[in-house]
Amino acid sequence: MPELPEVEVTRRSIEPKLVGRVIAAVHTGKPSYFFLTPPRELQKRLTGRKVTGLNRHGKYLLAKLDDGSRLLLHLGMTGQLFTQGASSVRLLSATARASLKPQEQPQFTPDKHTHLRLTFADGPPDVIFRDVRKFGKVKLLDKNESDARLDKLGPDALEATADQLFRAITGREIAIKSALMDQGVLAGAGNIYADEALFLAGIQPKKPAGRLKKAQCEALLKALQGVLRRSIETGGSSISDYVTPDGSDGGYQDERRVYARTGAPCYACGTAIKRVVIGQRSAHYCPQCQK
DNA sequence: ACCGCACCCTGAGCGC
DNA sequence: TGCGCTCAGGGTGCGG
């Protein structure tokens, strides 16, 4: 599932395929929950625009256009943003995977989950946004138009300071795990990296956020930024649908210490990793190492 | 103000 | 073989 590292890896690889190019055509799927700006309107307003930048805040991508408007992209749970020619079985449906011959290179062709495809004046490659569960979002913001989603975001998790974290959670009774996943506290952490950071900082995920000492906030933020940076280096975590924009898998899933390791021995002490539900989400931790 | 929870969506995995 | 059920999860919005 795309969290900050996956979105940043995507940003870095898509940026050179997007910035400086002029959009020639916009192909979309049907109107849905996915399109905060209706497909017709996207087609009308994006065609002919030149992309001038691609920024990230938390898990959001913002493509800047030459008329001052901005295209907001969110990958949701299963969003895949990639370039034409990407090759990965993760881009195929289960039935398409099953009918692949053993040595055959899986080649992506637009399917019913392909909601947005941009073609460019200078030819291929196209930029494609595919999302099976449609939890992703596309919205075109006018010049100077603000967006409530963006306004609510806290500081980007990679740039935040321990002091900002400490101030955002003082007095709050919610579990520290929930606080870390609250995008208004820090923008960018999701389930995987919140679990991993709490393990590295030795903090129990259910601990009330407001009871963390300043030093614990420092340790936690340092751990979080460490795992985020390391994950970016390895190409992100390919746990379910995530692929890097050239179609390759990330590598961070192999470095997980607790996430989705329920029952497996803790690498530090051998105790079985536990799974509990916190705020409707699964949390994984070592009952021995995290107090 | 704060928090828990239902909901959006679809495919995988499982029991029968 | 295939049906029906449950689960996963980011973010939003509502109700307590």
Side-chain angles (χ1 to χ4, degrees), chain A residues 207-228:
Chain A
K207 186 179 177 82
R211 302 213 198 132
L212 262 70
K213 306 250 188 320
K214 189 74 178 285
Q216 288 178 300
C217 282
E218 283 165 12
L220 181 54
L221 189 68
K222 194 177 168 207
L224 179 63
Q225 293 177 334
V227 295
L228 294 175

Side-chain angles (χ1 to χ4, degrees), chain A residues 138-260:
Chain A
V138 175
K139 185 179 184 182
L140 186 55
L141 301 170
D142 270 326
K143 186 176 184 176
N144 299 326
E145 183 181 351
S146 61
D147 181 81
R149 291 173 176 74
L150 296 177
D151 293 344
K152 275 190 289 193
L153 295 178
D156 189 85
L158 274 184
E159 282 155 26
T161 64
D163 197 51
Q164 284 175 314
L165 174 61
F166 184 70
R167 273 183 283 136
I169 65 178
T170 44
R172 299 188 64 176
E173 286 296 305
I174 49 166
I176 184 60
K177 169 73 189 283
S178 301
L180 277 184
M181 291 181 61
D182 180 346
Q183 303 299 296
V185 173
L186 296 179
N191 217 14
I192 300 174
Y193 301 105
D195 278 358
E196 296 296 309
L198 286 165
F199 172 77
L200 290 175
I203 299 168
Q204 233 269 354
K206 274 190 174 164
K207 186 179 177 82
R211 302 213 198 132
L212 262 70
K213 306 250 188 320
K214 189 74 178 285
Q216 288 178 300
C217 282
E218 283 165 12
L220 181 54
L221 189 68
K222 194 177 168 207
L224 179 63
Q225 293 177 334
V227 295
L228 294 175
R229 276 194 290 265
R230 174 63 189 154
S231 182
I232 291 170
E233 278 173 23
T234 59
S237 301
S238 290
I239 301 241
S240 55
D241 300 275
Y242 175 74
V243 286
T244 64
D246 66 0
S248 61
D249 277 9
Y252 195 76
Q253 65 277 10
D254 302 328
E255 300 191 16
R256 283 173 295 135
R257 291 158 176 95
V258 288
Y259 183 79

Side-chain angles (χ1 to χ4, degrees), chain A residues 117-130:
Chain A
R117 183 162 61 92
L118 303 177
T119 70
F120 297 91
D122 60 356
D126 298 351
V127 169
I128 294 160
F129 194 165
R130 181 175 184 268

Side-chain angles (χ1 to χ4, degrees), chain A residues 2 9 22 40 72 78 106-107 118 123 137 162 191 219 233 248 261:
Chain A
V9 170
V22 174
R40 291 267 171 204
L72 177 153
T78 52
Q107 191 62 40
L118 303 177
K137 296 279 175 282
N191 217 14
E233 278 173 23
S248 61
R261 291 194 64 241

Side-chain angles (χ1 to χ4, degrees), chain A residues 27 82 84 91-92 107-117 126 128-130:
Chain A
H27 302 271
F82 56 98
Q84 189 180 21
L91 297 173
L92 303 181
Q107 191 62 40
F108 171 80
T109 47
D111 59 1
K112 64 174 177 173
H113 302 304
T114 304
H115 307 299
L116 186 67
R117 183 162 61 92
D126 298 351
I128 294 160
F129 194 165
R130 181 175 184 268

